[in-house]
Amino acid sequence: MTENTSGDSPQPPRTPEPSGVDLARVALRAAKDAARARGDAAQQKKQARRGGLRSGARADGRDPMALGSAINRLITERGWEAPAAVGGVMGRWPQIVGEDVAKHCVPERYDEDERVLTVRCDSTAWATNLRLLAPTLVARLNEDLGHGTVQLIKVQGPGGPARRYGPLRAPGSTGPGDTYG
């Protein structure tokens, strides 16, 4: 590490100032945009005097939007890119993990705040197998979705059967667990 003997703090590298040509391009672009906006406003005013705005052969802001474009715009405006991408992964799960694993393990939900994908397996053996494959699977998912989208895969084993109560119960009882303390 070298010491600065003059006592001055090092100056960060300066970005070059825009030259005259660059400034002229920026000014020309701004002028064109302003002229286009004035022309559009004048055209709409003229059409309004003739009995209302009419649709023409050229596209304008009132034309209907294609469904795909509308959905993409909505996803972008609301900030739903990551959840939508993960939803696409859930639809393509067999292609990502392979048919054999997909038969036994199903993605259940994605927590966007914690960036955790929860996967349920139909047996404890498959849950153990998927826990061993989890780091590789996280890397593959992040490669597909973007770095850091999935940080952890939470693997759950099979759920137990629904708890059913017998035909004889004491009134006010909450089940067999309330008799042991």
Side-chain angles (χ1 to χ4, degrees):
M1 190 175 206
T2 61
E3 260 185 64
N4 191 353
T5 57
S6 64
D8 295 338
S9 62
Q11 295 291 334
R14 295 179 126 205
T15 57
E17 294 294 323
S19 66
V21 175
D22 293 332
L23 291 173
R25 284 186 186 139
V26 170
L28 178 62
R29 189 176 306 125
K32 281 183 177 181
D33 290 342
R36 188 174 297 119
R38 281 193 309 270
D40 289 345
Q43 181 73 16
Q44 286 179 354
K45 221 183 246 187
K46 189 171 157 184
Q47 285 180 347
R49 273 186 265 136
R50 284 189 281 161
L53 296 174
R54 296 189 181 123
S55 181
R58 284 182 241 126
D60 63 3
R62 299 171 295 125
D63 287 340
M65 189 182 283
L67 182 61
S69 300
I71 290 173
N72 288 338
R73 185 171 135 198
L74 179 68
I75 287 172
T76 303
E77 286 175 355
R78 303 281 170 105
W80 294 340
E81 289 93 356
V86 172
V89 164
M90 289 184 177
R92 294 181 290 122
W93 184 251
Q95 290 86 16
I96 293 171
V97 297
E99 293 292 329
D100 198 29
V101 175
K103 285 180 197 173
H104 301 283
C105 303
V106 179
E108 283 193 338
R109 68 181 159 272
Y110 174 69
D111 185 0
E112 185 179 5
D113 297 333
E114 296 180 14
R115 300 182 185 270
V116 174
L117 179 66
T118 304
V119 179
R120 178 158 314 268
C121 298
D122 62 0
S123 71
T124 55
W126 276 104
T128 303
N129 189 20
L130 195 65
R131 282 186 191 103
L132 294 173
L133 292 174
T136 307
L137 193 54
V138 167
R140 191 179 307 164
L141 288 169
N142 284 331
E143 197 175 284
D144 191 17
L145 300 172
H147 182 67
T149 305
V150 177
Q151 292 182 350
L152 178 71
I153 293 181
K154 185 176 178 183
V155 180
Q156 296 180 338
R163 186 173 211 167
R164 297 179 7 181
Y165 300 108
L168 301 175
R169 267 184 30 183
S173 172
T174 58
D178 71 345
T179 59
Y180 298 108

